[in-house]
Amino acid sequence: MISDKLKYVIILLQFSFFGYSQVLNICSGDTIDFKSIAASPTNFVEWEFILDNGGATIISGQNTETLKVLFENPGNYILQFREYALSDCYGVVEKEI
């Protein structure tokens, strides 16, 4: 039997905006808006670069569904979006840039 917590994580992953594989290529100095839709408006969300070559700056939107980022230096980046249903229960989606 699947626990309710596990069911919720599976649902979070199914509704992720970045739930498909795609590489995003942009130019140095570009500002990009990223958007994801949370499964529930009461869930806590956060964004984090788990691979950052020192050239990505979050301008606005941390802990919201919409994030604005300035890419100042060329390189490879991985942006991670996390949505928490509970403190120890969350879904993760990554975007390679």
Side-chain angles (χ1 to χ4, degrees):
M1 176 177 228
I2 297 177
S3 73
D4 288 341
K5 188 183 286 188
L6 180 57
K7 286 180 191 176
Y8 200 77
V9 171
I10 292 169
I11 290 169
L12 286 175
L13 294 174
Q14 288 176 341
F15 286 104
S16 295
F17 176 77
F18 298 127
Y20 55 90
S21 177
Q22 179 184 16
V23 175
L24 177 64
N25 296 303
I26 61 171
C27 295
S28 179
D30 282 350
T31 301
I32 304 293
D33 291 333
F34 295 93
K35 175 126 177 102
S36 187
I37 299 171
S40 171
T42 59
N43 288 348
F44 177 78
V45 298
E46 69 180 337
W47 303 81
E48 180 181 4
F49 280 96
I50 58 170
L51 173 62
D52 178 1
N53 292 325
T57 303
I58 295 176
I59 298 171
S60 64
Q62 181 57 282
N63 305 115
T64 69
E65 293 179 345
T66 303
L67 184 74
K68 183 181 267 303
V69 178
L70 171 63
F71 291 93
E72 299 172 283
N73 298 322
N76 296 321
Y77 301 88
I78 296 177
L79 178 61
Q80 187 178 82
F81 175 78
R82 291 186 289 263
E83 180 179 1
Y84 293 82
L86 303 169
S87 62
D88 63 344
C89 178
Y90 60 91
V92 174
V93 181
E94 295 178 354
K95 182 70 171 169
E96 184 177 341
I97 306 162

